[in-house]
Amino acid sequence: MTKEYVAHEKIGGTLACVIANGNHFGKTPYSEWKVLIGDVPSDDLSRNFRVQLGIETEQLNAKFFQMRSGLHVDRSAEARGLHQGINEDYLVCQPDGFVSGPGANRSLFEAKHTNHMSSMEIQIDRYFPQLQHNMYVTETKSAFISVIFGNQDPEYCEIMRDDEWLSR
């Protein structure tokens, strides 16, 4: 059940990280602007092993998140499809799923796979702009980030939406 990426030429979660951090995996606001205006083609990530590994492990990550948290992850095509901002049609996101459960509000699910030397704090810091952006677009109040570190068991953390951070 591989997610089909939808090319959208709008501000998505990855671009939110680039804008907020000034550099995200070698991408800068200027380099991404050049892609958006059509001066430079977007990267073909189909042969990028690390990107493909992350995509391939999303379902396994979600499975273990469900077992450990007792919450359900909706990874349907609709949940993982392109979501557009209600008031800003130039804002979009493609989440890895949505979390629900008894007594829980609908939350985002974001799966990551990184090296074994990283930490949850580093991953939260790296993806905080993406999580905040995606929560804003989907009008959710929290997001669960679940991270596989190398070949270790996944860890997860709930991040709350920060409207003050978003307004900045």
Side-chain angles (χ1 to χ4, degrees):
M1 189 150 124
T2 302
K3 176 167 53 177
E4 197 61 37
Y5 178 76
V6 178
H8 49 71
E9 298 179 344
K10 298 179 185 230
I11 298 174
T14 300
L15 186 50
C17 286
V18 173
I19 292 167
N21 296 328
N23 189 319
H24 186 71
F25 293 107
K27 297 175 186 253
T28 66
Y30 180 72
S31 68
E32 292 307 288
W33 173 74
K34 297 288 277 179
V35 171
L36 285 174
I37 65 168
D39 279 359
V40 176
S42 59
D43 293 339
D44 175 8
L45 300 175
S46 65
R47 294 182 174 266
N48 183 310
F49 178 78
R50 290 176 292 191
V51 169
Q52 296 306 311
L53 180 62
I55 291 169
E56 292 297 323
T57 59
E58 284 176 9
Q59 183 64 33
L60 179 65
N61 197 331
K63 176 182 173 180
F64 275 82
F65 171 82
Q66 290 179 128
M67 287 191 295
R68 292 191 167 164
S69 70
L71 299 170
H72 172 73
V73 178
D74 175 4
R75 288 190 35 81
S76 65
E78 181 181 347
R80 296 178 307 120
L82 187 68
H83 296 259
Q84 187 167 308
I86 290 174
N87 297 318
E88 298 94 352
D89 64 354
Y90 56 89
L91 299 177
V92 296
C93 72
Q94 293 177 247
D96 296 333
F98 287 94
V99 175
S100 62
N105 291 325
R106 181 172 169 255
S107 300
L108 280 170
F109 177 75
E110 192 63 41
K112 300 296 181 190
H113 191 159
T114 190
N115 71 73
H116 70 284
M117 300 296 289
S118 191
S119 68
M120 184 59 81
E121 293 76 24
I122 290 170
Q123 297 308 303
I124 291 170
D125 187 52
R126 177 174 288 146
Y127 294 107
F128 190 80
Q130 177 183 16
L131 296 168
Q132 293 298 322
H133 170 87
N134 291 359
M135 283 186 273
Y136 180 79
V137 170
T138 60
E139 297 185 315
T140 52
K141 297 296 181 195
S142 70
F144 287 90
I145 182 170
S146 182
V147 184
I148 299 172
F149 296 96
N151 65 354
Q152 303 298 311
D153 289 346
E155 297 176 29
Y156 69 88
C157 184
E158 184 177 19
I159 306 299
M160 303 308 293
R161 180 170 153 170
D162 186 339
D163 288 321
E164 183 179 323
W165 185 91
L166 284 164
S167 71
R168 287 192 310 261

